[in-house]
Amino acid sequence: MSTGSGAPSAPAPTTPTKSSKSSMFSSLGVRNYRLFFIGQVVSNTGTWMQRIAQDWLVLSLTGSATAVGITTALQFLPMLLFGLYGGVLVDRLPKRPTLLVTQSAMAVTGLALAFLTLSGHVEVWHVYLAAWAVGLATVVDNPARQTFVTEMVGPDQLQNAVSLNSANFQSARLVGPAVAGLMITGVGTGWAFLFNGLSFVAPIAGLLLMRARDLHVVERAPRGKGQLREGLQYVAGRPELIWTIVLVGFVSTFGFNFPVYLSAFADDVFHAGAGSYSLFNTLMAVGSLSGALLAARRGTARLRVLVAGAVAFGALEIAAAIAPSLWLFALLMVPIGMFGMTVNVTANSSVQLSTDPAMRGRVMALYMMVFMGGAPLGAPIAGWITDAYGVRAGLAAGGAIAAAAAVVIGLVLARVGNLRLTVGWNGGHPVVRFVPREREQLATVA
């Protein structure tokens, strides 16, 4: 872990951990994290239910897809506008009390929407306001949750815990929309909002039941001027941080535009309708869940895994773009989801472990702003390419840009770290790795 004052440093080939592999669920052995994880299982399911119910309600009230887009934009816009300031606050504040406030605020929002909907008084501006309120809470909640993981499990278990968090989210992504669909059809959108509001009882109870003495002490930044600028300078001075975040930016902006691509493939290319669109998303979620669990078992956050995962992700998107049949395209969604999650988990844990604790909130806020802000910026570009040249060209272009960015950034990191790319064989399989040039020179002299 970096502990310097902000001077440039070369990227380490691996992130320090006690062992290269760990049990897939090892961090659940930590009581505080176990309470956190269980709370997130319930809350994430409710969050996915509210997302589906929210979009359906807006569409029902207005009949406008544009209004649905405005709702989504309002929910993510606060992170783009204020995300870095949220990181400054998180570095100053104790994480557990901060999360109690943000989780309570999101619970109130869900319950307010439930009351308005069930009483028949809901209007579209109410939903807009609720989406904006959730977005504002997320500005602080997101970096606080990301950085609080280290306090619960410590640096040795961070990769495993981050991976399990992703698996948790992907599991909710599979269950939440299905439950929301049944609930909306059976009893209406208001009950889905009510479930989401009540679901926050689980994480709030988990936070209250945690043992403060078992938390890892993390230095908090004192209040002072110029802390936002200080955070940006800190990232700019560390190649292993800035280039990892840049790579995530390229992948999320050009590679993660699946709402644009998958709907077009289902409708325009394969002429298969909404059922195939749902199948594509489900298979991708299965792949993402698998990728998160494999990352949990791997137990390390290696930069070469990040680069290789991004290259594979881009190459698979190109393969999917030229897939001749619906079933081949659908099957490719599984490895695409798996390698996309590998990039996300590896980058997340690598950035956290390479950052001084007092800077972690600001750095993770920047990371999440780039990660979450990439798709809204890239979607219009993907849509333009799709309209002008076809969806196959759009998906292939996104994959090519992601893969090319990974190759270039991998070479940059190797050069900064004084590493050399080597290709060899191990047990009949090709092995690609970066080797320190000093080691090669010593071997030549010997």
Side-chain angles (χ1 to χ4, degrees):
M1 185 183 299
S2 173
T3 56
S5 60
S9 59
T14 63
T15 301
T17 54
K18 282 187 176 181
S19 62
S20 60
K21 286 190 176 182
S22 62
S23 167
M24 186 177 289
F25 304 102
S26 59
S27 56
L28 290 177
V30 180
R31 179 182 182 275
N32 284 343
Y33 179 72
R34 188 164 61 249
L35 290 168
F36 177 85
F37 183 88
I38 293 170
Q40 291 300 306
V41 168
V42 179
S43 180
N44 283 336
T45 302
T47 297
W48 275 105
M49 290 175 64
Q50 173 144 330
R51 286 188 185 183
I52 301 300
Q54 179 178 274
D55 291 348
W56 186 260
L57 176 61
V58 170
L59 193 61
S60 300
L61 291 171
T62 66
S64 168
T66 301
V68 177
I70 291 172
T71 307
T72 302
L74 286 171
Q75 188 157 330
F76 289 101
L77 188 60
M79 178 61 74
L80 292 175
L81 296 176
F82 312 118
L84 292 176
Y85 295 99
V88 172
L89 284 174
V90 168
D91 278 338
R92 293 176 181 172
L93 299 172
K95 307 299 185 297
R96 189 163 64 134
T98 299
L99 286 171
L100 284 169
V101 172
T102 57
Q103 297 282 294
S104 299
M106 288 189 279
V108 169
T109 302
L111 293 174
L113 266 181
F115 173 77
L116 289 168
T117 306
L118 292 173
S119 65
H121 294 93
V122 69
E123 298 181 23
V124 69
W125 71 267
H126 293 142
V127 186
Y128 287 165
L129 183 61
W132 177 258
V134 170
L136 285 176
T138 303
V139 167
V140 176
D141 183 81
N142 217 316
R145 277 190 297 109
Q146 297 286 333
T147 56
F148 188 51
V149 174
T150 310
E151 294 189 25
M152 288 184 286
V153 303
D156 293 331
Q157 295 276 17
L158 180 61
Q159 162 86 5
N160 182 265
V162 168
S163 302
L164 290 181
N165 284 348
S166 299
N168 186 329
F169 186 78
Q170 294 303 322
S171 299
R173 179 182 172 188
L174 289 171
V175 176
V179 176
L182 292 174
M183 189 170 287
I184 291 170
T185 304
V187 293
T189 55
W191 294 97
F193 295 138
L194 181 62
F195 180 93
N196 179 54
L198 295 177
S199 73
F200 284 97
V201 171
I204 291 171
L207 289 166
L208 292 172
L209 290 171
M210 287 182 184
R211 296 172 182 159
R213 65 179 182 273
D214 292 341
L215 295 173
H216 294 252
V217 178
V218 174
E219 176 187 0
R220 295 209 304 267
R223 181 182 296 272
K225 293 182 179 180
Q227 290 183 322
L228 178 56
R229 182 175 64 253
E230 181 186 12
L232 294 174
Q233 290 173 343
Y234 178 88
V235 173
R238 282 172 164 71
E240 74 276 22
L241 293 179
I242 185 65
W243 288 112
T244 297
I245 292 173
V246 168
L247 177 55
V248 167
F250 271 101
V251 173
S252 64
T253 300
F254 298 102
F256 279 4
N257 294 300
F258 296 112
V260 176
Y261 298 136
L262 298 187
S263 58
F265 265 94
D267 190 38
D268 300 334
V269 177
F270 299 120
H271 309 291
S276 293
Y277 177 60
S278 177
L279 174 66
F280 297 157
N281 280 283
T282 299
L283 289 174
M284 185 172 292
V286 170
S288 299
L289 178 59
S290 302
L293 292 175
L294 288 173
R297 188 177 187 279
R298 190 161 54 242
T300 58
R302 299 172 183 267
L303 291 177
R304 70 188 186 198
V305 172
L306 172 63
V307 172
V311 171
F313 174 79
L316 285 165
E317 285 200 331
I318 296 172
I322 60 177
S325 68
L326 183 149
W327 287 109
L328 179 57
F329 181 85
L331 289 174
L332 284 170
M333 292 301 102
V334 176
I336 286 174
M338 185 175 69
F339 281 105
M341 184 55 61
T342 297
V343 172
N344 183 16
V345 170
T346 306
N348 186 311
S349 51
S350 177
V351 166
Q352 289 208 52
L353 284 170
S354 299
T355 304
D356 289 338
M359 288 283 183
R360 196 167 284 147
R362 279 163 283 183
V363 173
M364 289 309 298
L366 176 62
Y367 172 88
M368 294 306 300
M369 192 171 74
V370 170
F371 179 72
M372 296 175 65
L377 295 175
I381 300 174
W384 175 78
I385 296 175
T386 297
D387 289 340
Y389 303 102
V391 65
R392 290 188 183 274
L395 181 58
I401 292 172
V407 171
V408 171
I409 290 172
L411 293 174
V412 169
L413 287 171
R415 183 177 180 84
V416 172
N418 199 27
L419 304 174
R420 185 180 67 86
L421 181 66
T422 65
V423 181
W425 291 85
N426 183 14
H429 300 285
V431 177
V432 180
R433 60 180 179 174
F434 291 110
V435 176
R437 293 184 185 275
E438 290 85 350
R439 185 185 304 172
E440 180 191 25
Q441 292 166 0
L442 288 173
T444 302
V445 172

